[in-house]
Amino acid sequence: PASTPPADAAQASPSPLETPRREVVFSGMQPSGGFHIGNYLGAVRDWVALQDQHRCFYCVVDLHALTQPYEPAAMRARVLDMAVELLACGIDPQKSTLFVQSQVPEHAELSWILSTVAPYGELSRMTQFKEKGERAEYVNCGLFTYPVLMAADILLYKATRVPVGEDQIQHLELTREIVRRWNGRYGEPALFAEPLPLHRSPLRIMGLDGKQKMSKSLGNYVAISDEPDAIRKKIGSAFTDELRLRKKDPGHPESCYVCGLEQYFMPSDKVAELQDGCRTARIGCVDSKRALAEAMITTLQPIAERKRQLLAQPGLVEDILQAGADEARKIAKQTMAEVRERLGLLPLR
Ligand code: ADP
């Protein structure tokens, strides 16, 4: 079982992605098809880095995705696309457990059980519920109990650290509240520890319009699987420095979308050289865009190559996911046996 972090560890504000010891990490991502560079830089890169230090469980959370309107005929492909891209980006099934939520039915089972200790009032105050609820044509209960399923995801593996973006902090706080209530009712000795956030670098990659966050739904993205020509075209039409009207005007790299992305795809001396050229009007926006597009293509090329290799082996990804689910399920079943015992339910034989 996972070790229990001290209750006041949250106040000690762990440094981003670094804790001195090996922890159990859980993170999930909804199957939204392929990744864009915002997902890659803001989340997937961290997942890859964490697997060398911690015991990581990475989950494609398809049950969570059911809370939004979707096309059933497209779901399998969405799940598989995401798994392929995670593997291509460097998630290594030898190092971490990569699996699909619905292939470990204990997630739904524990979610129900936790819903019996989850406070209704707090659930109804969740910002994401309120926002999604306002936009939805009708509000399904899954949207409301979404954070309870997330608590189950984490607690099934007794994860102690959860890499979270800003928008998920409130949900993780609720998981901690559910743990306190569970332990108050069924504890001694505590079965679950309160999971702590593993803060990500607060990256927010803006979309090609330079105005809104890069997002699938806004269509303002570069996908990691875009062909080189598509990348050239997209970066070619990206927003640059509004104050620079002619090539001979000095540029302002600090407020230019294209210059802002350079740091993620080029070594720092190259970035400094390009930005100096921009500031002194030695190079124009078109040159900056070309340099960025080529650097992006070079960075993404090995990922595209690994993806091709994975897809060339029919059934390989499905097998990796099945093995991941088997591994996850062993632990999930063990946790559920403990949960059943605490609840006074009959054991499964
Ligand atoms: P999308 O907004 O494209 O639907 P998701 O909400 O599914 O993406 O996000 C998946 C992960 O990628 C989350 O961890 C989220 O924090 C991260 N992410 C999404 N968009 C960005 C972005 N523009 N910049 C940085 N990280 C992002």
Side-chain angles (χ1 to χ4, degrees), residues 29 32 36 38-39 42-43 167 200 203-205 213-216:
M29 212 180 290
S32 50
H36 53 66
N39 303 134
D167 51 341
R200 286 198 186 126
L203 259 191
R204 195 162 187 266
I205 303 294
K213 189 177 137 171
M214 183 173 287
S215 169
K216 258 281 165 62

Side-chain angles (χ1 to χ4, degrees), residues 17-156:
L17 300 173
E18 301 218 350
T19 62
R21 45 172 209 181
R22 193 169 162 86
E23 308 260 1
V24 179
V25 169
F26 178 93
S27 200
M29 212 180 290
Q30 285 201 36
S32 50
F35 292 124
H36 53 66
I37 57 169
N39 303 134
Y40 177 67
L41 297 171
V44 183
R45 258 190 339 173
D46 293 343
W47 282 22
V48 173
L50 285 168
Q51 51 181 3
D52 287 319
Q53 199 194 342
H54 301 294
R55 171 77 181 97
C56 297
F57 292 86
Y58 293 135
C59 185
V60 180
V61 291
D62 54 350
L63 295 178
H64 277 101
L66 306 183
T67 59
Q68 297 290 323
Y70 77 101
E71 189 47 65
M75 186 54 122
R76 281 189 188 170
R78 275 168 59 189
V79 169
L80 291 173
D81 278 355
M82 171 159 282
V84 170
E85 292 208 340
L86 283 169
L87 293 164
C89 287
I91 297 300
D92 180 350
Q94 303 298 323
K95 292 181 186 166
S96 24
T97 306
L98 174 67
F99 67 105
V100 178
Q101 190 182 29
S102 63
Q103 290 191 314
V104 181
E106 286 77 8
H107 285 253
E109 188 185 5
L110 183 58
S111 177
W112 169 257
I113 288 166
L114 294 180
S115 77
T116 65
V117 293
Y120 176 89
E122 288 195 29
L123 274 174
S124 55
R125 281 193 288 278
M126 293 291 120
T127 311
Q128 207 176 77
F129 168 65
K130 289 196 281 191
E131 283 175 3
K132 285 190 177 163
E134 270 165 25
R135 275 185 270 136
E137 228 167 274
Y138 90 104
V139 181
N140 66 70
C141 286
L143 217 46
F144 183 69
T145 54
Y146 188 107
V148 183
L149 179 56
M150 180 172 147
D153 298 338
I154 297 166
L155 298 178
L156 262 185

